[in-house]
Amino acid sequence: MNSRFHRRLTLASSVTGAVAVALDGTVLTVAQPTLQRDLHATFAQVQWTSTGYLIAVASLLVFAGRLGDRYGHQQVFAVGILGFGATSAGIGFAPGIGWVIGLRVAQGVFGALLQPATLGMLRAAYPADRLGMPIALRTSAIGLAAAAGPVVGGALVTALGWRAVFFLNVVPALVMGVLALTVRGPARSRAASGGLDVPGACLLAVALVSLVHTLVGIPETGWTTASTLGLAVVMAAGAAFVRHERRTASPLVPYDVLGSATVGAALGILVAGSAAMLGSLFVGSYYLQEVLDLDPLQTSLRALPGAVMMVVGAPVAAVLLRRQGARRTTLGGMIALTSGVLLLSRLDRASTAVSIGGGFLLLGAGFGTVMVTATAVLVRQASAESAGVTGGLQQTAMNVGPTLGVATATLLMALGTGVAMGPPLTALGAVSALGVVLALRLPGSPGSSGRIGQESINKYGAGDGS
């Protein structure tokens, strides 16, 4: 097959898969109140339609990436997107809330297969120094889906009911899944060797499930003894995972990833940036509606500059990445994001639409830039044989970060600040500022794309089990 055509098809598949996941999450949020009334469900049951999915996907992302590294990202992508579309259709026909929750958990499993593969396929199809723009286009598409999701979901729920939103992804998923199964690309490099490291995958899953479950529970119950125990499990399982990975001959996370300062910095930036972004959106939405008495449509319009800048700014970030390098570009993005959070923290009842829109504009511009640059660093510097695992780590960071941001904001609001913007957004600004510090650890020169493997192999050994 023509390599140019295969790259375009790979980019289309990557964008479609990422958009399907992003759109699914936003339209579900809009559909949940109607779903609850129609199925006579409790609020807790409806929350589990989101929590069950999040726990399933977060716990399996890295293992799913390892499957792609070993058996081929295109094949794993096909299974993931076909399963994602099938479970989405199943939810549309579900007779009760139990079925919806169960199918959402299953959808999380397929989402975990799908998401790392969208990055792994790009790494396999494009040279390392040309990954910036494909990742930027993928980021723009995610931003567009996130912005359009509430509008499209609201229109469908109003006109056809909540079930209609779950049929949105079915046809695109079927088309892209069939193409992935039938269209053969250029011969790929030798797949990752060694075992799948099921013990390591289980330890990591325990740590991530405990972390996500604890963070999701904080907004509802606040900080409790259960929260403390949950974090203790996270630390114990995380320490056991790292110890296991350093000792096993075939680790789930390869040596060129586990011990890399560059990978650690990029993942930390994604966690800090997504926590600040989504936490600020959460607080801002409540503030605009509860304090300024705006309706949901007016609230969306106030926040629209952020979505626009994320869509438009991602390709610009790719150009800056190529010309200025990862360190400078990411540093600029994190500073813009932090400035947006702090600007929003100063809003009061007298704030104008211009000042509100300016804060959200900085949020979108900064977050779009950070998404492109940090993701490009991760995918570019990982070897092709570990691109799936690296993609799984990136997606894990993008799941944990927003959960952390919302939990932080909610906890501070519950401690007596109400929906005042200052205290929770000041805390989120501090989280974002951590990303500014981490940006200084990224590669500096525009052409820096050296691999990270030797750094870790020297530190941990050559994989002989020592």
Side-chain angles (χ1 to χ4, degrees), residues 160-247:
L160 302 173
W162 67 269
R163 297 179 185 274
V165 302
F166 291 101
F167 295 109
L168 274 176
N169 292 324
V170 175
V171 173
L174 178 63
V175 172
M176 300 312 299
V178 170
L179 285 174
L181 287 175
T182 58
V183 176
R184 293 184 177 274
R188 63 188 181 91
S189 60
R190 185 171 176 262
S193 60
L196 293 175
D197 188 17
V198 174
C202 291
L203 287 171
L204 182 60
V206 170
L208 290 172
V209 167
S210 300
L211 177 61
V212 171
H213 188 269
T214 300
L215 293 176
V216 168
I218 288 175
E220 183 177 353
T221 63
W223 192 266
T224 64
T225 302
S227 304
T228 303
L229 291 175
L231 289 184
V233 172
V234 172
M235 290 186 289
F241 171 74
V242 172
R243 179 181 175 83
H244 170 80
E245 293 298 283
R246 289 178 174 179
R247 290 173 173 267

Side-chain angles (χ1 to χ4, degrees), residues 25-262:
T26 55
V27 298
L28 174 64
T29 302
V30 175
Q32 280 178 329
T34 306
L35 181 153
Q36 181 180 359
R37 290 193 299 270
D38 188 38
L39 297 182
H40 307 291
T42 66
F43 179 76
Q45 288 174 321
V46 172
Q47 286 300 102
W48 268 100
T49 64
S50 296
T51 302
Y53 173 89
L54 182 59
I55 288 176
V57 73
S59 64
L60 294 172
L61 281 166
V62 178
F63 184 65
R66 176 66 174 170
L67 288 175
D69 287 335
R70 186 170 186 188
Y71 299 110
H73 299 296
Q74 188 168 315
Q75 290 81 357
V76 174
F77 170 83
V79 174
I81 198 165
L82 288 173
F84 196 89
T87 50
S88 188
I91 295 169
F93 291 113
I97 189 64
W99 281 94
V100 174
I101 295 172
L103 286 168
R104 280 288 289 170
V105 172
Q107 192 174 43
V109 174
F110 288 113
L113 293 173
L114 166 64
Q115 293 181 61
T118 64
L119 290 173
M121 290 191 301
L122 290 180
R123 178 64 181 87
Y126 287 85
D129 59 353
R130 293 178 59 187
L131 279 167
M133 191 55 70
I135 290 174
L137 294 175
R138 180 180 179 274
T139 301
S140 291
I142 292 172
L144 184 61
V151 178
V152 174
L156 286 174
V157 171
T158 301
L160 302 173
W162 67 269
R163 297 179 185 274
V165 302
F166 291 101
F167 295 109
L168 274 176
N169 292 324
V170 175
V171 173
L174 178 63
V175 172
M176 300 312 299
V178 170
L179 285 174
L181 287 175
T182 58
V183 176
R184 293 184 177 274
R188 63 188 181 91
S189 60
R190 185 171 176 262
S193 60
L196 293 175
D197 188 17
V198 174
C202 291
L203 287 171
L204 182 60
V206 170
L208 290 172
V209 167
S210 300
L211 177 61
V212 171
H213 188 269
T214 300
L215 293 176
V216 168
I218 288 175
E220 183 177 353
T221 63
W223 192 266
T224 64
T225 302
S227 304
T228 303
L229 291 175
L231 289 184
V233 172
V234 172
M235 290 186 289
F241 171 74
V242 172
R243 179 181 175 83
H244 170 80
E245 293 298 283
R246 289 178 174 179
R247 290 173 173 267
T248 187
S250 299
L252 175 67
V253 181
Y255 301 110
D256 65 346
V257 177
L258 181 64
S260 168
T262 303

Side-chain angles (χ1 to χ4, degrees), residues 370-390:
V370 168
M371 276 276 290
V372 171
T373 54
T375 301
V377 166
L378 284 170
V379 178
R380 177 187 297 176
Q381 294 213 349
S383 65
E385 291 76 19
S386 60
V389 166
T390 307

